[in-house]
Amino acid sequence: AQRVTQPEKLLSVFKGAPVELKCNYSYSGSPELFWYVQYSRQRLQLLLRHISRESIKGFTADLNKGETSFHLKKPFAQEEDSAMYYCALSIYNQGGKLIFGQGTELSVKP
Amino acid sequence: EAQVTQNPRYLITVTGKKLTVTCSQNMNHEYMSWYRQDPGLGLRQIYYSMNVEVTDKGDVPEGYKVSRKEKRNFPLILESPSPNQTSLYFCASSLSSEFSYNEQFFGPGTRLTVL
């Protein structure tokens, strides 16, 4: 079955500390993975996708097919990073359907 | 401004009273989708549409209907709402369903309470 798991509901760190939001997936095909972010009172928006291999707002994520993971990392957290983060898996043969994880709330304290 | 809009943003209703949540996008996107967001469950897809007059069920379609008569609009219809449909609803669109790596653009959400 296709599934995305984010084991942490809440992650709290201090400003300047490294951050890693975990994401594991289950999918028999070739995965297309995304991180979406929802800041307070804003709509859900794309943060990054693995196919782009880019760094956005200092965040990076590497697809590890062996461990079926797509963890989101940032070396130095900022207060403005506080938000809800969702890992999502796109299902190719279902019109790009997204399967979301449960979400992780990141809280960066001053 | 390119965006996805939803109306209403907030709605409180009673069991059995039919309602429609509208969704509109101005980006000429082919693909549109409805999700519901519930605590601890993330977002789950209700219905999606790959183009005009083409719709299909997502993971949790029971109790919902959709239509896609025009490319820009994708309304979500609850014929007889029940309390278990109390949730936060998001509409989303993307350029095409042809490529699974296309970004999906989300609306602001509609918070529905069914009493």
Side-chain angles (χ1 to χ4, degrees):
Chain A
Q2 305 131 354
R3 186 182 298 128
V4 175
T5 303
Q6 293 178 248
E8 303 133 332
K9 285 182 67 174
L10 173 64
L11 187 61
S12 185
V13 302
F14 286 102
K15 177 182 172 182
V19 169
E20 182 179 51
L21 286 81
K22 292 184 166 46
C23 171
N24 288 92
Y25 67 91
S26 173
Y27 182 49
S28 57
S30 184
E32 296 286 351
L33 287 151
F34 303 78
W35 277 98
Y36 280 81
V37 61
Q38 189 173 27
Y39 300 103
S40 179
R41 299 190 185 86
Q42 295 186 28
R43 60 186 71 194
L44 202 64
Q45 58 188 284
L46 178 68
L47 179 62
L48 57 79
R49 51 191 145 187
H50 94 269
I51 196 170
S52 303
R53 298 182 184 278
E54 54 194 345
S55 172
I56 305 291
K57 298 184 179 182
F59 284 97
T60 59
D62 291 318
L63 176 61
N64 185 324
K65 291 187 178 181
E67 295 183 359
T68 60
S69 68
F70 188 56
H71 303 327
L72 183 68
K73 299 176 184 178
K74 184 169 183 177
F76 308 104
Q78 304 298 314
E79 288 179 69
E80 56 265 31
D81 296 329
S82 295
M84 196 75 181
Y85 291 80
Y86 291 95
C87 182
L89 167 70
S90 181
I91 305 301
Y92 175 71
N93 62 353
Q94 293 184 35
K97 168 183 173 178
L98 285 177
I99 293 180
F100 285 87
Q102 302 92 323
T104 297
E105 182 182 353
L106 174 64
S107 173
V108 181
K109 300 185 187 313
Chain B
E1 180 187 356
Q3 63 179 342
V4 179
T5 56
Q6 293 177 229
N7 281 293
R9 295 288 312 281
Y10 302 91
L11 179 60
I12 300 174
T13 189
V14 295
T15 299
K17 187 176 181 181
K18 180 180 178 179
L19 65 93
T20 299
V21 183
T22 64
C23 173
S24 183
Q25 50 91 7
N26 61 1
M27 296 170 279
N28 201 36
H29 284 172
E30 287 185 353
Y31 182 90
M32 297 186 75
S33 180
W34 275 103
Y35 297 88
R36 60 178 287 174
Q37 183 182 38
D38 301 291
L41 297 177
L43 282 82
R44 293 176 294 166
Q45 190 181 54
I46 303 170
Y47 268 94
Y48 66 96
S49 169
M50 289 201 265
N51 215 324
V52 176
E53 302 290 3
V54 180
T55 63
D56 209 345
K57 296 177 180 178
D59 294 319
V60 288
E62 294 77 20
Y64 304 94
K65 284 176 57 176
V66 292
S67 68
R68 188 92 181 273
K69 294 185 171 61
E70 308 163 282
K71 200 170 188 179
R72 63 182 294 126
N73 296 322
F74 190 46
L76 180 70
I77 303 156
L78 284 73
E79 294 269 1
S80 183
S82 62
N84 65 13
Q85 293 178 297
T86 292
S87 188
L88 180 58
Y89 291 86
F90 288 99
C91 181
S93 72
S94 68
L95 185 62
S96 167
S97 60
E98 183 177 356
F99 301 108
S100 57
Y101 53 77
N102 280 336
E103 174 182 1
Q104 289 197 20
F105 294 84
F106 285 81
T110 294
R111 188 167 292 281
L112 172 65
T113 302
V114 183
L115 302 174

